[in-house]
Amino acid sequence: MKLQIQPIGNSYSEQAIDLILTIQQKEFNIPITIQDQPDLLQIESFYTEAGGDFWGAFVGDKLVGSIALVKFDERAGAIRKMFVKKEFRGKELNIAQELLEVLISFCRKNGIDDLYLGTITVLKAAQRFYERNHFVKIEKENLPVKFPLMSADDVFYHLNID
């Protein structure tokens, strides 16, 4: 299985929506819909044109993972849409790690020093993943003023990229 990670745009919206909603709704029973995340219908204007990006992980021509960066301040960004299809998770394939490394590399090239993210209490494996990657849990009130808050998120992390 050959993994390829590349920036994706609006032409991949349908595949991204299918990947992400399936994981959110069916796997984790999170009551979230496409109406709650319209950014997935406008990937290019929401992520790319604002100075961030949206990447897809492909095995063959199948989208199996995603990660996105919202640039919300001169030197700060928020990780969004970090998802890997259940059957493609784990250390063997290392897809989540590869996606995160692509995003961090983009941040370094583009002068983004601080990364933030919000997640949900039930996503324990995600929290362990971020902690293994040196993200530090922070309180909601310590988020930057411009951080783009998602209503479902209740656990927050920060990483300073040096």
Side-chain angles (χ1 to χ4, degrees), residues 106-133:
F106 176 91
C107 289
R108 285 195 173 112
K109 284 187 200 119
N110 290 280
I112 297 170
D113 303 326
D114 286 294
L115 268 181
Y116 294 87
L117 67 95
T119 186
I120 304 172
T121 305
V122 298
L123 302 179
K124 299 293 185 201
Q127 292 172 50
R128 285 191 303 272
F129 171 78
Y130 292 120
E131 288 166 9
R132 268 198 317 275
N133 280 283

PDB file of all heavy atoms in Angstrom, residues 106-133:
ATOM      1  N   PHE A 106       4.637  22.648   6.595  1.00  0.00           N
ATOM      2  CA  PHE A 106       3.995  23.797   5.949  1.00  0.00           C
ATOM      3  C   PHE A 106       4.083  25.022   6.874  1.00  0.00           C
ATOM      4  O   PHE A 106       4.389  26.128   6.430  1.00  0.00           O
ATOM      5  CB  PHE A 106       2.530  23.468   5.637  1.00  0.00           C
ATOM      6  CG  PHE A 106       1.749  24.620   5.063  1.00  0.00           C
ATOM      7  CD1 PHE A 106       1.676  24.813   3.695  1.00  0.00           C
ATOM      8  CD2 PHE A 106       1.064  25.498   5.895  1.00  0.00           C
ATOM      9  CE1 PHE A 106       0.946  25.886   3.157  1.00  0.00           C
ATOM     10  CE2 PHE A 106       0.333  26.567   5.376  1.00  0.00           C
ATOM     11  CZ  PHE A 106       0.278  26.753   4.000  1.00  0.00           C
ATOM     12  N   CYS A 107       3.815  24.821   8.167  1.00  0.00           N
ATOM     13  CA  CYS A 107       3.874  25.921   9.141  1.00  0.00           C
ATOM     14  C   CYS A 107       5.274  26.518   9.191  1.00  0.00           C
ATOM     15  O   CYS A 107       5.430  27.744   9.173  1.00  0.00           O
ATOM     16  CB  CYS A 107       3.469  25.435  10.529  1.00  0.00           C
ATOM     17  SG  CYS A 107       1.703  25.073  10.669  1.00  0.00           S
ATOM     18  N   ARG A 108       6.283  25.661   9.246  1.00  0.00           N
ATOM     19  CA  ARG A 108       7.668  26.150   9.304  1.00  0.00           C
ATOM     20  C   ARG A 108       8.009  26.989   8.074  1.00  0.00           C
ATOM     21  O   ARG A 108       8.625  28.034   8.188  1.00  0.00           O
ATOM     22  CB  ARG A 108       8.638  24.972   9.417  1.00  0.00           C
ATOM     23  CG  ARG A 108       8.637  24.362  10.805  1.00  0.00           C
ATOM     24  CD  ARG A 108       9.846  23.449  11.014  1.00  0.00           C
ATOM     25  NE  ARG A 108       9.883  23.028  12.409  1.00  0.00           N
ATOM     26  CZ  ARG A 108       9.663  21.778  12.814  1.00  0.00           C
ATOM     27  NH1 ARG A 108       9.415  20.817  11.943  1.00  0.00           N
ATOM     28  NH2 ARG A 108       9.703  21.483  14.096  1.00  0.00           N
ATOM     29  N   LYS A 109       7.598  26.515   6.898  1.00  0.00           N
ATOM     30  CA  LYS A 109       7.888  27.238   5.651  1.00  0.00           C
ATOM     31  C   LYS A 109       7.136  28.558   5.556  1.00  0.00           C
ATOM     32  O   LYS A 109       7.542  29.453   4.835  1.00  0.00           O
ATOM     33  CB  LYS A 109       7.488  26.384   4.439  1.00  0.00           C
ATOM     34  CG  LYS A 109       8.442  25.269   4.132  1.00  0.00           C
ATOM     35  CD  LYS A 109       8.061  24.578   2.821  1.00  0.00           C
ATOM     36  CE  LYS A 109       8.662  23.191   2.741  1.00  0.00           C
ATOM     37  NZ  LYS A 109       7.669  22.128   2.628  1.00  0.00           N
ATOM     38  N   ASN A 110       6.003  28.644   6.271  1.00  0.00           N
ATOM     39  CA  ASN A 110       5.142  29.815   6.144  1.00  0.00           C
ATOM     40  C   ASN A 110       5.115  30.701   7.386  1.00  0.00           C
ATOM     41  O   ASN A 110       4.211  31.534   7.538  1.00  0.00           O
ATOM     42  CB  ASN A 110       3.723  29.368   5.755  1.00  0.00           C
ATOM     43  CG  ASN A 110       3.695  28.847   4.334  1.00  0.00           C
ATOM     44  OD1 ASN A 110       3.653  29.613   3.386  1.00  0.00           O
ATOM     45  ND2 ASN A 110       3.763  27.533   4.175  1.00  0.00           N
ATOM     46  N   GLY A 111       6.094  30.520   8.276  1.00  0.00           N
ATOM     47  CA  GLY A 111       6.228  31.406   9.425  1.00  0.00           C
ATOM     48  C   GLY A 111       5.140  31.288  10.475  1.00  0.00           C
ATOM     49  O   GLY A 111       4.845  32.247  11.190  1.00  0.00           O
ATOM     50  N   ILE A 112       4.526  30.110  10.569  1.00  0.00           N
ATOM     51  CA  ILE A 112       3.515  29.894  11.612  1.00  0.00           C
ATOM     52  C   ILE A 112       4.208  29.187  12.779  1.00  0.00           C
ATOM     53  O   ILE A 112       4.695  28.066  12.628  1.00  0.00           O
ATOM     54  CB  ILE A 112       2.323  29.069  11.059  1.00  0.00           C
ATOM     55  CG1 ILE A 112       1.633  29.869   9.948  1.00  0.00           C
ATOM     56  CG2 ILE A 112       1.357  28.696  12.182  1.00  0.00           C
ATOM     57  CD1 ILE A 112       0.596  29.096   9.154  1.00  0.00           C
ATOM     58  N   ASP A 113       4.284  29.868  13.917  1.00  0.00           N
ATOM     59  CA  ASP A 113       5.026  29.352  15.074  1.00  0.00           C
ATOM     60  C   ASP A 113       4.157  28.624  16.085  1.00  0.00           C
ATOM     61  O   ASP A 113       4.646  27.828  16.880  1.00  0.00           O
ATOM     62  CB  ASP A 113       5.695  30.506  15.845  1.00  0.00           C
ATOM     63  CG  ASP A 113       6.622  31.317  14.972  1.00  0.00           C
ATOM     64  OD1 ASP A 113       7.256  30.723  14.082  1.00  0.00           O
ATOM     65  OD2 ASP A 113       6.690  32.536  15.173  1.00  0.00           O
ATOM     66  N   ASP A 114       2.887  28.987  16.137  1.00  0.00           N
ATOM     67  CA  ASP A 114       2.007  28.429  17.154  1.00  0.00           C
ATOM     68  C   ASP A 114       0.840  27.701  16.528  1.00  0.00           C
ATOM     69  O   ASP A 114       0.123  28.251  15.693  1.00  0.00           O
ATOM     70  CB  ASP A 114       1.487  29.550  18.064  1.00  0.00           C
ATOM     71  CG  ASP A 114       2.566  30.039  19.009  1.00  0.00           C
ATOM     72  OD1 ASP A 114       2.980  29.257  19.880  1.00  0.00           O
ATOM     73  OD2 ASP A 114       3.013  31.196  18.847  1.00  0.00           O
ATOM     74  N   LEU A 115       0.653  26.458  16.963  1.00  0.00           N
ATOM     75  CA  LEU A 115      -0.457  25.635  16.491  1.00  0.00           C
ATOM     76  C   LEU A 115      -1.392  25.367  17.655  1.00  0.00           C
ATOM     77  O   LEU A 115      -0.938  25.044  18.755  1.00  0.00           O
ATOM     78  CB  LEU A 115       0.074  24.289  16.003  1.00  0.00           C
ATOM     79  CG  LEU A 115       0.440  24.134  14.546  1.00  0.00           C
ATOM     80  CD1 LEU A 115       0.927  22.721  14.282  1.00  0.00           C
ATOM     81  CD2 LEU A 115      -0.731  24.477  13.639  1.00  0.00           C
ATOM     82  N   TYR A 116      -2.676  25.479  17.389  1.00  0.00           N
ATOM     83  CA  TYR A 116      -3.687  25.203  18.397  1.00  0.00           C
ATOM     84  C   TYR A 116      -4.679  24.215  17.804  1.00  0.00           C
ATOM     85  O   TYR A 116      -4.808  24.107  16.590  1.00  0.00           O
ATOM     86  CB  TYR A 116      -4.438  26.488  18.766  1.00  0.00           C
ATOM     87  CG  TYR A 116      -3.562  27.504  19.451  1.00  0.00           C
ATOM     88  CD1 TYR A 116      -2.823  28.421  18.713  1.00  0.00           C
ATOM     89  CD2 TYR A 116      -3.467  27.531  20.845  1.00  0.00           C
ATOM     90  CE1 TYR A 116      -2.009  29.352  19.340  1.00  0.00           C
ATOM     91  CE2 TYR A 116      -2.651  28.462  21.475  1.00  0.00           C
ATOM     92  CZ  TYR A 116      -1.926  29.375  20.721  1.00  0.00           C
ATOM     93  OH  TYR A 116      -1.115  30.288  21.340  1.00  0.00           O
ATOM     94  N   LEU A 117      -5.398  23.530  18.673  1.00  0.00           N
ATOM     95  CA  LEU A 117      -6.480  22.683  18.188  1.00  0.00           C
ATOM     96  C   LEU A 117      -7.464  22.436  19.307  1.00  0.00           C
ATOM     97  O   LEU A 117      -7.132  22.542  20.486  1.00  0.00           O
ATOM     98  CB  LEU A 117      -5.949  21.356  17.639  1.00  0.00           C
ATOM     99  CG  LEU A 117      -5.315  20.380  18.633  1.00  0.00           C
ATOM    100  CD1 LEU A 117      -6.330  19.355  19.109  1.00  0.00           C
ATOM    101  CD2 LEU A 117      -4.147  19.671  17.975  1.00  0.00           C
ATOM    102  N   GLY A 118      -8.678  22.129  18.883  1.00  0.00           N
ATOM    103  CA  GLY A 118      -9.711  21.724  19.816  1.00  0.00           C
ATOM    104  C   GLY A 118     -10.158  20.337  19.440  1.00  0.00           C
ATOM    105  O   GLY A 118     -10.173  19.979  18.262  1.00  0.00           O
ATOM    106  N   THR A 119     -10.493  19.546  20.437  1.00  0.00           N
ATOM    107  CA  THR A 119     -11.016  18.210  20.180  1.00  0.00           C
ATOM    108  C   THR A 119     -12.113  17.935  21.209  1.00  0.00           C
ATOM    109  O   THR A 119     -12.524  18.825  21.942  1.00  0.00           O
ATOM    110  CB  THR A 119      -9.885  17.149  20.160  1.00  0.00           C
ATOM    111  OG1 THR A 119     -10.433  15.885  19.771  1.00  0.00           O
ATOM    112  CG2 THR A 119      -9.191  17.009  21.506  1.00  0.00           C
ATOM    113  N   ILE A 120     -12.561  16.699  21.245  1.00  0.00           N
ATOM    114  CA  ILE A 120     -13.696  16.342  22.087  1.00  0.00           C
ATOM    115  C   ILE A 120     -13.267  15.272  23.082  1.00  0.00           C
ATOM    116  O   ILE A 120     -12.497  14.374  22.749  1.00  0.00           O
ATOM    117  CB  ILE A 120     -14.851  15.823  21.186  1.00  0.00           C
ATOM    118  CG1 ILE A 120     -15.203  16.893  20.143  1.00  0.00           C
ATOM    119  CG2 ILE A 120     -16.075  15.461  22.009  1.00  0.00           C
ATOM    120  CD1 ILE A 120     -16.177  16.448  19.099  1.00  0.00           C
ATOM    121  N   THR A 121     -13.771  15.384  24.305  1.00  0.00           N
ATOM    122  CA  THR A 121     -13.412  14.462  25.382  1.00  0.00           C
ATOM    123  C   THR A 121     -13.437  12.993  24.965  1.00  0.00           C
ATOM    124  O   THR A 121     -12.533  12.247  25.322  1.00  0.00           O
ATOM    125  CB  THR A 121     -14.360  14.660  26.600  1.00  0.00           C
ATOM    126  OG1 THR A 121     -14.294  16.039  26.966  1.00  0.00           O
ATOM    127  CG2 THR A 121     -13.928  13.823  27.779  1.00  0.00           C
ATOM    128  N   VAL A 122     -14.446  12.580  24.183  1.00  0.00           N
ATOM    129  CA  VAL A 122     -14.555  11.153  23.830  1.00  0.00           C
ATOM    130  C   VAL A 122     -13.425  10.672  22.914  1.00  0.00           C
ATOM    131  O   VAL A 122     -13.185   9.475  22.812  1.00  0.00           O
ATOM    132  CB  VAL A 122     -15.914  10.787  23.171  1.00  0.00           C
ATOM    133  CG1 VAL A 122     -17.067  11.042  24.120  1.00  0.00           C
ATOM    134  CG2 VAL A 122     -16.120  11.499  21.848  1.00  0.00           C
ATOM    135  N   LEU A 123     -12.737  11.590  22.262  1.00  0.00           N
ATOM    136  CA  LEU A 123     -11.680  11.182  21.324  1.00  0.00           C
ATOM    137  C   LEU A 123     -10.345  11.001  22.054  1.00  0.00           C
ATOM    138  O   LEU A 123      -9.389  11.734  21.845  1.00  0.00           O
ATOM    139  CB  LEU A 123     -11.563  12.205  20.185  1.00  0.00           C
ATOM    140  CG  LEU A 123     -12.844  12.440  19.372  1.00  0.00           C
ATOM    141  CD1 LEU A 123     -12.623  13.483  18.290  1.00  0.00           C
ATOM    142  CD2 LEU A 123     -13.347  11.142  18.747  1.00  0.00           C
ATOM    143  N   LYS A 124     -10.312   9.981  22.912  1.00  0.00           N
ATOM    144  CA  LYS A 124      -9.130   9.726  23.764  1.00  0.00           C
ATOM    145  C   LYS A 124      -7.878   9.409  22.947  1.00  0.00           C
ATOM    146  O   LYS A 124      -6.792   9.872  23.272  1.00  0.00           O
ATOM    147  CB  LYS A 124      -9.406   8.574  24.739  1.00  0.00           C
ATOM    148  CG  LYS A 124     -10.561   8.835  25.691  1.00  0.00           C
ATOM    149  CD  LYS A 124     -10.239   9.952  26.659  1.00  0.00           C
ATOM    150  CE  LYS A 124     -11.335  10.121  27.688  1.00  0.00           C
ATOM    151  NZ  LYS A 124     -11.308  11.454  28.304  1.00  0.00           N
ATOM    152  N   ALA A 125      -8.021   8.610  21.909  1.00  0.00           N
ATOM    153  CA  ALA A 125      -6.858   8.241  21.098  1.00  0.00           C
ATOM    154  C   ALA A 125      -6.264   9.484  20.435  1.00  0.00           C
ATOM    155  O   ALA A 125      -5.046   9.619  20.343  1.00  0.00           O
ATOM    156  CB  ALA A 125      -7.230   7.199  20.047  1.00  0.00           C
ATOM    157  N   ALA A 126      -7.120  10.399  20.005  1.00  0.00           N
ATOM    158  CA  ALA A 126      -6.641  11.645  19.395  1.00  0.00           C
ATOM    159  C   ALA A 126      -5.842  12.452  20.416  1.00  0.00           C
ATOM    160  O   ALA A 126      -4.767  12.968  20.114  1.00  0.00           O
ATOM    161  CB  ALA A 126      -7.824  12.464  18.875  1.00  0.00           C
ATOM    162  N   GLN A 127      -6.343  12.515  21.635  1.00  0.00           N
ATOM    163  CA  GLN A 127      -5.635  13.268  22.673  1.00  0.00           C
ATOM    164  C   GLN A 127      -4.266  12.652  22.953  1.00  0.00           C
ATOM    165  O   GLN A 127      -3.272  13.373  23.073  1.00  0.00           O
ATOM    166  CB  GLN A 127      -6.476  13.330  23.949  1.00  0.00           C
ATOM    167  CG  GLN A 127      -7.732  14.176  23.759  1.00  0.00           C
ATOM    168  CD  GLN A 127      -8.659  14.092  24.943  1.00  0.00           C
ATOM    169  OE1 GLN A 127      -8.239  14.272  26.077  1.00  0.00           O
ATOM    170  NE2 GLN A 127      -9.928  13.830  24.686  1.00  0.00           N
ATOM    171  N   ARG A 128      -4.215  11.330  23.037  1.00  0.00           N
ATOM    172  CA  ARG A 128      -2.920  10.662  23.267  1.00  0.00           C
ATOM    173  C   ARG A 128      -1.963  10.942  22.108  1.00  0.00           C
ATOM    174  O   ARG A 128      -0.776  11.173  22.308  1.00  0.00           O
ATOM    175  CB  ARG A 128      -3.120   9.148  23.434  1.00  0.00           C
ATOM    176  CG  ARG A 128      -3.714   8.772  24.782  1.00  0.00           C
ATOM    177  CD  ARG A 128      -3.660   7.266  25.050  1.00  0.00           C
ATOM    178  NE  ARG A 128      -4.329   6.470  24.021  1.00  0.00           N
ATOM    179  CZ  ARG A 128      -5.623   6.158  24.042  1.00  0.00           C
ATOM    180  NH1 ARG A 128      -6.401   6.575  25.027  1.00  0.00           N
ATOM    181  NH2 ARG A 128      -6.148   5.424  23.086  1.00  0.00           N
ATOM    182  N   PHE A 129      -2.497  10.928  20.891  1.00  0.00           N
ATOM    183  CA  PHE A 129      -1.680  11.208  19.707  1.00  0.00           C
ATOM    184  C   PHE A 129      -1.061  12.608  19.798  1.00  0.00           C
ATOM    185  O   PHE A 129       0.133  12.779  19.595  1.00  0.00           O
ATOM    186  CB  PHE A 129      -2.537  11.076  18.436  1.00  0.00           C
ATOM    187  CG  PHE A 129      -1.841  11.556  17.189  1.00  0.00           C
ATOM    188  CD1 PHE A 129      -0.887  10.759  16.568  1.00  0.00           C
ATOM    189  CD2 PHE A 129      -2.127  12.801  16.645  1.00  0.00           C
ATOM    190  CE1 PHE A 129      -0.227  11.207  15.418  1.00  0.00           C
ATOM    191  CE2 PHE A 129      -1.486  13.254  15.498  1.00  0.00           C
ATOM    192  CZ  PHE A 129      -0.534  12.444  14.889  1.00  0.00           C
ATOM    193  N   TYR A 130      -1.866  13.609  20.106  1.00  0.00           N
ATOM    194  CA  TYR A 130      -1.341  14.976  20.197  1.00  0.00           C
ATOM    195  C   TYR A 130      -0.326  15.109  21.323  1.00  0.00           C
ATOM    196  O   TYR A 130       0.708  15.750  21.164  1.00  0.00           O
ATOM    197  CB  TYR A 130      -2.478  15.993  20.364  1.00  0.00           C
ATOM    198  CG  TYR A 130      -3.334  16.100  19.117  1.00  0.00           C
ATOM    199  CD1 TYR A 130      -4.696  15.821  19.149  1.00  0.00           C
ATOM    200  CD2 TYR A 130      -2.774  16.460  17.899  1.00  0.00           C
ATOM    201  CE1 TYR A 130      -5.475  15.909  17.999  1.00  0.00           C
ATOM    202  CE2 TYR A 130      -3.544  16.546  16.740  1.00  0.00           C
ATOM    203  CZ  TYR A 130      -4.895  16.265  16.802  1.00  0.00           C
ATOM    204  OH  TYR A 130      -5.658  16.344  15.668  1.00  0.00           O
ATOM    205  N   GLU A 131      -0.608  14.463  22.452  1.00  0.00           N
ATOM    206  CA  GLU A 131       0.333  14.536  23.581  1.00  0.00           C
ATOM    207  C   GLU A 131       1.663  13.868  23.235  1.00  0.00           C
ATOM    208  O   GLU A 131       2.724  14.372  23.599  1.00  0.00           O
ATOM    209  CB  GLU A 131      -0.308  13.940  24.841  1.00  0.00           C
ATOM    210  CG  GLU A 131      -1.394  14.867  25.380  1.00  0.00           C
ATOM    211  CD  GLU A 131      -2.328  14.241  26.410  1.00  0.00           C
ATOM    212  OE1 GLU A 131      -2.053  13.108  26.870  1.00  0.00           O
ATOM    213  OE2 GLU A 131      -3.333  14.896  26.750  1.00  0.00           O
ATOM    214  N   ARG A 132       1.608  12.764  22.512  1.00  0.00           N
ATOM    215  CA  ARG A 132       2.853  12.108  22.063  1.00  0.00           C
ATOM    216  C   ARG A 132       3.654  13.026  21.138  1.00  0.00           C
ATOM    217  O   ARG A 132       4.865  12.888  21.019  1.00  0.00           O
ATOM    218  CB  ARG A 132       2.531  10.819  21.284  1.00  0.00           C
ATOM    219  CG  ARG A 132       2.491   9.565  22.119  1.00  0.00           C
ATOM    220  CD  ARG A 132       2.615   8.298  21.274  1.00  0.00           C
ATOM    221  NE  ARG A 132       1.839   8.259  20.046  1.00  0.00           N
ATOM    222  CZ  ARG A 132       0.559   7.887  19.964  1.00  0.00           C
ATOM    223  NH1 ARG A 132      -0.103   7.526  21.034  1.00  0.00           N
ATOM    224  NH2 ARG A 132      -0.048   7.861  18.795  1.00  0.00           N
ATOM    225  N   ASN A 133       2.955  13.927  20.465  1.00  0.00           N
ATOM    226  CA  ASN A 133       3.605  14.860  19.543  1.00  0.00           C
ATOM    227  C   ASN A 133       3.879  16.220  20.185  1.00  0.00           C
ATOM    228  O   ASN A 133       3.991  17.229  19.496  1.00  0.00           O
ATOM    229  CB  ASN A 133       2.756  15.008  18.272  1.00  0.00           C
ATOM    230  CG  ASN A 133       2.979  13.838  17.336  1.00  0.00           C
ATOM    231  OD1 ASN A 133       3.989  13.774  16.650  1.00  0.00           O
ATOM    232  ND2 ASN A 133       2.053  12.887  17.326  1.00  0.00           N
TER     233      ASN A 133
END
